[in-house]
Every structure is written in structure tokens, then in C-alpha cells.
């Protein structure tokens, strides 16, 4: 081992004497007249020379003779001629396949034109361009909404809301991981081994530190970009400005000065300001995002992140994802983020639809939807209006967080308790009995079965009815679901029934929170001044109590069900159970969105109704 170290040192000394461009210095060079170095200094110098030599050998190996197990350098990348991949796509992958840790590159005029046209189209208004170039990714200064990203401009809400959903995932369910230093963040950015069925997050958002929020934002951005890059790469688009490596307030001043008077009106304007870096290491990408965070907090932040996601996916792949690649991703006339942008940031593919899989029309024609499970989901008001159908991938994400779409805006709905998506005991039993009943239903969905089929159901689901109840149900020659279900609810569990001593009859009661990032005047957040109250411009956070009846229980059987709740909105039982009359249902468009996920949900809140516009 010692001989190898000496050989490496000699090689490092020989390389340092060659006439080649100097390597970056790791420490200040020593003066010629400096005193004799101590043994510790000699050991340090030895380590530095060896590291420099190793870096040089590694670089030469990557550039001159890449091994089969290594990715080739961009200048010598192997052209992929596999079916379905165009030469243009190969060219783009080569162009953006930069060496790790390089200083980045500028887009060519061709690339800038293609990118600009894809995002904004050929007839975009200056107002839309201004909306997208004046929205940073910044947290709310208001303590109650400090976990939220603030939106000041219309248009980029689709980008902000999706980032917000991932930020909430890390803040709520991975608080210990965001406490680690960025350089030590785990390589795997997706959800870990947390037991979701038993985890309840804290709602004390005012206690979040700026450092924790910054780390959550960096991890969220990195997770989205690598997801767009098939977990192989992340492209990070920042500003082409000298001095971005400067630390502290000087960096903010440099960015502000660079953006002073800058407008984005064409592809050439975009080309001038962009600097593109590509990373295959998640750790290195997170370090870059952490360093570049002031850039994304600047007024160009939302646009830069969208561009980063598009380039991480690859422009040709983006166009292949879409049903109609001729339409711009930012929709006219108001400049909203399209569903393709939202889906790209949610699942890594710019598909335009929200159903599961794809819809095949035959003859090679099909529509593309969501092909995989997702970390955070999506609900939309348009489903309640029967304009679309959201699939189970988006409705039932890994974490109880959903981007909520309306006709003109995107907001975020989330739960602190990861068990809100779990079926309770009654729901599971209810589903089992209903499946057995439906299997014997020969009425075409009429909700009744024959006596013979009824006895088969009782055997399959192990229900032992008293003889008088059995004779009563069978007296007419057919059995109706609603009558059968009422008997089941009154039947003791020891006989296979679902009699509930708590009085809830299987109803789930839980809390959801809704966040709208648009900074609006909020009377609830007004400050008292000598001249009266001053309205505060801040995002809106609303807490909702949600009650969900069992899926197959008829409405009339739930009308008089009592609501029992303990601390935090959890169902409780025993001596401490407080029985109250059910509160009257309140309504807002958000409730219609919630009901697409939890049918017949009843929602209540305090104060102003939640707004999804």
C-alpha cells in the first residue's frame, strides 16, 4: 500500500512538471522563499498532489478512452440509433450531456428557438412573457403560511403548486432528513421506508427554520428534475452571469444587477441569459441547486425551473409525450401552465391527460395518460363537472398531498395524517360484501339478487343471519341491497355483521389543509394600526374537517350518525368520547374536488371559505 502511494506521488510530481494547462489550485501556492515545511505540511501537499493527479487521470480516461461501463464524454458520445429515436433527439442528448461539474454551456440559437417556441408558441403576448419572467420561488414571510410558496403573478401557478406539493412532502413527512447538511443528503430522493399508516406530521409551520425550508426546496427541485430525467440526469438552467459562485449578499446584488431592465421577448433574449449544466450525480446536483438557490428565488426562478425540467426530460421526449405537439405548453390567452407542464413535474412525462395508462382508439391512434404511481397527486374541479376523469395513480398518491386544478389556477390540498387514504375495518368488510353481492346481481346493476344468489353471498362472506331476519329478507323472492345492508349494520360482528358500538357506523373523520399561494388581501391577517386595520397581502391556508361515510351505505342511513372526535380530529372511543350533532355541510368549489376523491364527503371550516381561484 505504501509503495502504491509513493508511485502515485511520483506520478503526480511528473505530471505537475509537464507542459499542460495548470490544474485548479486546492490551496494557496507556497512562496519560493518559504521556510522548510513541517511533516504535516508535507503530508498535506502529498495528499493534494495525489488528488490532483487522480483527477487528471480520471478526466483523461473519460475523454480519451471511455470504458464500456462508463458514459462516454459528450464529444465522443455513441449515437443511439434505436427504433423510435430521431437523430435530432440524439443530437440534443449529446449537446446537454455535459461533463459533471463543468461550468455549463449556452444554448445554441437553434435550441433556444425550439425551446421558446415549445413553451410560448409563435404569437405570445408581452404580458404573458412578463408573467413568466417575474415570478420567483420564494417562501411566504407570514408565520402561519411560512411553509408555502408565494405567487404574485398569474400563469406560473402550475409550476409553483407542484413544487409546493413536493416541498410539503419533505417538510411534513421527512423532517429529520431535511435537517442534514446538503452534501450528505441521501442519493435516493424518493420516499423512504417511513410507515405511512402511523405517521402524523406537525402543523406548527411557524417553527420551521429558513434553513429547513431551503433544504426542503432544494430536495424537492432535485427530485422533480431527476424524475424528469428518468432518474439518470438533471439539467439545471441558471443565469449566464459572472460571479454566481460568490457567497452571501454579494450574490443577490449580482443577480439583481444582471436582471435590471431585462425583458424576455424572444428566443434570443432567452439564449443570452441561460447557462445550462447537466448532472448525473444527485448529490452534486443538490449542491448546485443549493448554490443557485438565490437565482431561483429571483424573478426568473419559475421560468428557469420549468426550462430545467424540460431540458432534463429532453425536448424531443417532451414532444413525443404530447398528443398535440404543435400547441404551446403555456396556454393562451392568459398564460396558464398547461396540464402537460403539471404532469411533467408530477410524474416526469409531459402527457396531456390525467387518466391511468393510455386510451387506444385503434388504427394506431391513442391518448396518453399517467403510466405510473406518483409521490404527490392531482385532483381537479373539471372532474366534478364531468370534463375529465382522474385516474387512481393521481387520486391515490404515495403521500396525502394533491395539486388541485380549477379552470384558471392551481393550489395544494394536503393531510398531516398519512392514514387518510387507508380503508378502515368497515370499509374493507363493506367492499368484500358488496363484491359478493354484485357477483350475484343478474339485474344489470339494479341492486337486487335472487334468494339462491343471496344464500351464496352469505356463505362466501361468512354471515350468519338469525332465522327471523333471513325469512324476512327472503319473503319477497328477491333481496334488495339497501335492505340487506341495513340488516348487516345492525348485526353483531360475531355473526359477520358490522354493528358499530361507537356510533360512527364506519364514517371516517379527518382533517385536510388547503393552501392557495396567491398573495391576496386577507382580513383575517390584518394588523391593527393607529389609523385602523391594514389588510395583509399573504397566501391563504385553510383547515377543513372532512367526514366521509362508508362507500356503499345509503345516504338515509347516515343522516343521524353522530360525529365523535378526539384531539387532532381522530376518531375516538371510550369514556372520553364526546358525542355531538353533525355540523351542517359547508360548500365551496374545493369541496367538489374533494368529493372526486372521497365520495359524499362533508366538509366544514372556520372563517372564509377556501378558494381555488
Amino acid at each position: 500500500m505504501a509503495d502504491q502511494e509513493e508511485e502515485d506521488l511520483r506520478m503526480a510530481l511528473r505530471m505537475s512538471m509537464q507542459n499542460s494547462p495548470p490544474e485548479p489550485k486546492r490551496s494557496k501556492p507556497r512562496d519560493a522563499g518559504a521556510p522548510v515545511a513541517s511533516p504535516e505540511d508535507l503530508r498535506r501537499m502529498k495528499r493534494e498532489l495525489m488528488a490532483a493527479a487522480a483527477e487528471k487521470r480520471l478526466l483523461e480516461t473519460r475523454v480519451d478512452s471511455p470504458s464500456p461501463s462508463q458514459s462516454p464524454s459528450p464529444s465522443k458520445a455513441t449515437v443511439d440509433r434505436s427504433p423510435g429515436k430521431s437523430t435530432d433527439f440524439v443530437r440534443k442528448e449529446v449537446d446537454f450531456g455535459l461533463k459533471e461539474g463543468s461550468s455549463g454551456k449556452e444554448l445554441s440559437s437553434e435550441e433556444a428557438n425550439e425551446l421558446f417556441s415549445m413553451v410560448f408558441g409563435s404569437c405570445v403576448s408581452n404580458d404573458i412573457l412578463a408573467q413568466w419572467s417575474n415570478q420567483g420561488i420564494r417562501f411566504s414571510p407570514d408565520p402561519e403560511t411560512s411553509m408555502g410558496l408565494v405567487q404574485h403573478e398569474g400563469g406560473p401557478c402550475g409550476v409553483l403548486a407542484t413544487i409546493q406539493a413536493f416541498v410539503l412532502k419533505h417538510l411534513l413527512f421527512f423532517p429529520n432528513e431535511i435537517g442534514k447538511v446538503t452534501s450528505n443528503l441521501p442519493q435516493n430522493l424518493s420516499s423512504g421506508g417511513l410507515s405511512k399508516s402511523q405517521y402524523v406530521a406537525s402543523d406548527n409551520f411557524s417553527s420551521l427554520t429558513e434553513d429547513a425550508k431551503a433544504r426542503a426546496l432544494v430536495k424537492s427541485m432535485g427530485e422533480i428534475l431527476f424524475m424528469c430525467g428518468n432518474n439518470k440526469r438533471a439539467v439545471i438552467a441558471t443565469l449566464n452571469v459572472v460571479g454566481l459562485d460568490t457567497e452571501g449578499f454579494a450574490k443577490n446584488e449580482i443577480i439583481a444587477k444582471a436582471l435590471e431592465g431585462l425583458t424576455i421577448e424572444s428566443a434570443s433574449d432567452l439564449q443570452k441569459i441561460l447557462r445550462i449544466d447537466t448532472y448525473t450525480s444527485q448529490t452534486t446536483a443538490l449542491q448546485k441547486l443549493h448554490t443557485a438557490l438565490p437565482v431561483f428565488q429571483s424573478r426568473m426562478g419559475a421560468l428557469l425551473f420549468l426550462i430545467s425540467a424540460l431540458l432534463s426530460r429532453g425536448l424531443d421526449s417532451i414532444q413525443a409525450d404530447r398528443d398535440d405537439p404543435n400547441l404551446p405548453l403555456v396556454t393562451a390567452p392568459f398564460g396558464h401552465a398547461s396540464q402537460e407542464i403539471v404532469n411533467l413535474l408530477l410524474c416526469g412525462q409531459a402527457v396531456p391527460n390525467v387518466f391511468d395508462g393510455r386510451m387506444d382508439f385503434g388504427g394506431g391512434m391513442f391518448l396518453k395518460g399517467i403510466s405510473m404511481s406518483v409521490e404527490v397527486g392531482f385532483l381537479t374541479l373539471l372532474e366534478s363537472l364531468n370534463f375529465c376523469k382522474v385516474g387512481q395513480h393521481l387520486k391515490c398518491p404515495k403521500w396525502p398531498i394533491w395539486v388541485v386544478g380549477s379552470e384558471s389556477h392551481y393550489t395544494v390540498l394536503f393531510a398531516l395524517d398519512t392514514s387518510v387514504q387507508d380503508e378502515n375495518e368497515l370499509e374493507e368488510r363493506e367492499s368484500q360484501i358488496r363484491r359478493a353481492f354484485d357477483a350475484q346481481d343478474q339485474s344489470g346493476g339494479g341492486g337486487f339478487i335472487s334468494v339462491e344468489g343471496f344464500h351464496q353471498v352469505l356463505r362466501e362472506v361468512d354471515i350468519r343471519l338469525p332465522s327471523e331476519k333471513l325469512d324476512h329478507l327472503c319473503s319477497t323472492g328477491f333481496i334488495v341491497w339497501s335492505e340487506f345492508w341495513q340488516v348487516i349494520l345492525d348485526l353483531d360482528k360475531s355473526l359477520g355483521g358490522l354493528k358499530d358500538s361507537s356510533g360512527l357506523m364506519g364514517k371516517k373523520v379527518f382533517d385536510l389543509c388547503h393552501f392557495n399561494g396567491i398573495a391576496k388581501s386577507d382580513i383575517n391577517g390584518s394588523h391593527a394600526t393607529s389609523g385602523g386595520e391594514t389588510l395583509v397581502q399573504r397566501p391563504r391556508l385553510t383547515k377543513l374537517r372532512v367526514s366521509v361515510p362508508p362507500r356503499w351505505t345509503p345516504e338515509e342511513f347516515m343522516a343521524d350518525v353522530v360525529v365523535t372526535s378526539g384531539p387532532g380530529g381522530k376518531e375516538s372511543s371510550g369514556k372520553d368520547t364526546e358525542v355531538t350533532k353533525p355540523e351542517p355541510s359547508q360548500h365551496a368549489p374545493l369541496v367538489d374536488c374533494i368529493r372526486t376523491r372521497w365520495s359524499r364527503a362533508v366538509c366544514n371550516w372556520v372563517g372564509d371559505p377556501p378558494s381555488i381561484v
Side-chain angles (χ1 to χ4, degrees):
M1 190 67 169
D3 293 341
Q4 181 62 43
E5 289 182 355
E6 291 298 323
E7 178 60 29
D8 288 341
L9 179 58
R10 286 194 294 270
M11 182 177 292
L13 292 172
R14 287 198 301 272
M15 293 176 68
S16 66
M17 296 174 64
Q18 294 174 355
N19 294 325
S20 59
E23 297 293 331
K25 301 295 182 184
R26 291 178 171 267
S27 60
K28 186 177 179 180
R30 306 175 68 85
D31 295 332
V36 178
S38 67
E40 179 61 32
D41 290 336
L42 289 174
R43 284 194 294 271
R44 178 174 54 79
M45 183 185 298
K46 176 179 177 179
R47 289 194 299 268
E48 292 176 355
L49 286 171
M50 290 175 64
E55 286 181 354
K56 189 163 186 175
R57 290 200 304 275
L58 181 60
L59 180 61
E60 290 177 345
T61 302
R62 286 178 176 174
V63 173
D64 297 331
S65 57
S67 66
S69 62
Q70 292 174 326
S71 299
S73 65
S75 60
K76 299 188 178 184
T78 303
V79 176
D80 185 349
R81 299 190 183 278
S82 58
K85 183 171 283 192
S86 68
T87 56
D88 286 341
F89 180 61
V90 174
R91 172 185 55 76
K92 290 186 183 67
E93 288 192 330
V94 171
D95 286 341
F96 292 124
L98 304 173
K99 292 190 290 291
E100 192 91 1
S102 69
S103 59
K105 68 180 284 290
E106 296 180 10
L107 290 177
S108 68
S109 57
E110 178 188 2
E111 293 162 346
N113 285 328
E114 184 175 3
L115 178 63
F116 188 89
S117 177
M118 180 185 297
V119 176
F120 296 113
S122 57
C123 300
V124 60
S125 69
N126 287 337
D127 288 341
I128 291 178
L129 292 172
Q131 289 174 1
W132 280 86
S133 56
N134 285 283
Q135 178 62 64
I137 305 174
R138 287 180 171 270
F139 284 101
S140 167
D142 174 60
E144 293 182 18
T145 58
S146 63
M147 82 303 165
L149 302 175
V150 184
Q151 181 185 351
H152 296 288
E153 295 289 337
C157 55
V159 173
L160 291 180
T162 312
I163 298 174
Q164 177 71 74
F166 279 89
V167 166
L168 285 169
K169 167 193 158 181
H170 289 285
L171 286 177
L172 296 177
F173 305 122
F174 297 91
N176 293 331
E177 289 192 10
I178 62 173
K180 300 176 183 179
V181 295
T182 305
S183 59
N184 291 332
L185 288 173
Q187 287 290 316
N188 185 5
L189 290 170
S190 61
S191 58
L194 183 65
S195 177
K196 292 181 290 200
S197 62
Q198 300 178 353
Y199 192 87
V200 180
S202 170
D203 62 352
N204 187 14
F205 301 129
S206 60
S207 67
L208 293 170
T209 65
E210 293 300 319
D211 186 60
K213 292 188 294 183
R215 296 186 196 284
L217 178 57
V218 166
K219 290 201 69 173
S220 300
M221 294 167 68
E223 181 175 357
I224 294 172
L225 294 182
F226 269 99
M227 178 176 58
C228 293
N230 292 320
N231 293 317
K232 296 179 180 178
R233 68 171 187 174
V235 178
I236 301 176
T238 55
L239 297 175
N240 189 7
V241 176
V242 176
L244 286 185
D245 292 333
T246 308
E247 295 296 333
F249 292 106
K251 180 184 292 188
N252 294 328
E253 294 177 359
I254 291 172
I255 295 171
K257 187 173 182 180
L259 295 178
E260 188 175 346
L262 175 69
T263 58
I264 304 297
E265 298 180 353
S266 65
S268 61
D269 293 333
L270 204 60
Q271 180 189 11
K272 292 175 185 176
I273 68 165
L274 288 183
R275 171 68 65 177
I276 309 300
D277 291 276
T278 299
Y279 297 89
T280 56
S281 163
Q282 292 184 359
T283 299
T284 310
L286 290 176
Q287 290 172 337
K288 172 64 176 179
L289 287 169
H290 180 75
T291 302
L293 199 54
V295 176
F296 289 101
Q297 292 171 333
S298 76
R299 65 179 179 88
M300 291 291 296
L303 180 57
L304 288 173
F305 186 77
L306 172 59
I307 291 172
S308 299
L310 294 173
L311 296 181
S312 294
R313 176 66 176 154
L315 300 188
D316 273 16
S317 291
I318 294 289
Q319 296 296 68
D321 290 338
R322 309 174 68 196
D323 289 338
D324 187 353
N326 296 315
L327 296 175
L329 291 170
V330 171
T331 62
F334 302 112
H336 298 136
S338 64
Q339 189 66 47
E340 293 151 311
I341 289 178
V342 174
N343 285 348
L344 172 66
L345 303 183
L346 285 175
C347 72
Q349 298 176 355
V351 294
N353 303 295
V354 292
F355 50 73
D356 290 343
R358 69 180 193 177
M359 192 177 297
D360 198 334
F361 293 98
M365 297 180 60
F366 55 86
L367 299 177
K368 294 179 281 291
I370 308 299
S371 61
M372 67 201 76
S373 60
V374 295
E375 295 288 309
V376 298
F378 179 78
L379 303 174
T380 175
L381 182 65
L382 298 181
E383 180 173 6
S384 69
L385 301 174
N386 294 319
F387 285 113
C388 66
K389 179 68 175 177
V390 178
Q392 291 302 300
H393 288 323
L394 291 177
K395 273 187 183 172
C396 303
K398 294 180 182 178
W399 302 97
I401 305 169
W402 297 264
V403 174
V404 176
S406 69
E407 304 97 324
S408 60
H409 188 45
Y410 294 99
T411 55
V412 180
L413 181 74
F414 61 98
L416 302 175
D417 188 344
T418 56
S419 67
V420 299
Q421 298 196 95
D422 298 341
E423 283 191 331
N424 59 27
E425 181 183 358
L426 187 141
E427 286 177 314
E428 293 176 356
R429 178 66 170 156
E430 181 185 46
S431 297
Q432 179 190 23
I433 297 173
R434 182 70 195 209
R435 284 194 300 268
F437 188 94
D438 288 345
Q440 300 296 326
D441 189 350
Q442 303 297 318
S443 65
F448 59 90
I449 60 178
S450 66
V451 172
E452 181 181 356
F454 181 55
H455 283 286
Q456 178 64 28
V457 170
L458 296 181
R459 287 192 295 270
E460 285 185 10
V461 297
D462 192 23
I463 294 176
R464 297 174 299 282
L465 290 176
S467 57
E468 66 275 10
K469 292 188 177 181
L470 181 62
D471 293 341
H472 173 73
L473 286 172
C474 297
S475 61
T476 60
F478 57 87
I479 291 83
V480 179
W481 167 258
S482 59
E483 295 179 358
F484 173 46
W485 187 247
Q486 186 175 17
V487 170
I488 296 299
L489 292 176
D490 291 334
L491 186 66
D492 192 82
K493 289 185 179 181
S494 63
L495 299 175
L498 295 169
K499 189 173 183 179
D500 186 1
S501 59
S502 72
L504 280 169
M505 295 174 63
K507 173 180 280 191
K508 292 198 300 186
V509 181
F510 54 89
D511 291 330
L512 294 176
C513 297
H514 178 255
F515 177 76
N516 188 340
I518 288 184
K520 292 184 176 180
S521 296
D522 189 354
I523 189 67
N524 294 330
S526 59
H527 294 305
T529 62
S530 57
E533 287 188 339
T534 302
L535 294 178
V536 175
Q537 292 285 328
R538 68 172 188 176
R540 180 79 59 79
L541 179 65
T542 306
K543 185 176 182 179
L544 301 93
R545 170 61 58 90
V546 181
S547 302
V548 183
R551 185 180 300 110
W552 302 114
T553 302
E555 294 276 0
E556 59 267 25
F557 297 151
M558 301 301 300
D560 298 323
V561 173
V562 297
V563 176
T564 63
S565 61
K570 287 188 172 182
E571 299 172 11
S572 61
S573 59
K575 297 180 179 179
D576 297 330
T577 300
E578 180 182 354
V579 180
T580 61
K581 293 182 179 180
E583 297 181 9
S585 174
Q586 295 173 276
H587 186 265
L590 176 63
V591 177
D592 294 326
C593 297
I594 292 173
R595 286 175 178 168
T596 65
R597 173 60 183 85
W598 290 280
S599 179
R600 298 186 291 164
V602 174
C603 300
N604 301 96
W605 56 84
V606 176
D608 296 332
S611 172
I612 60 174
V613 296

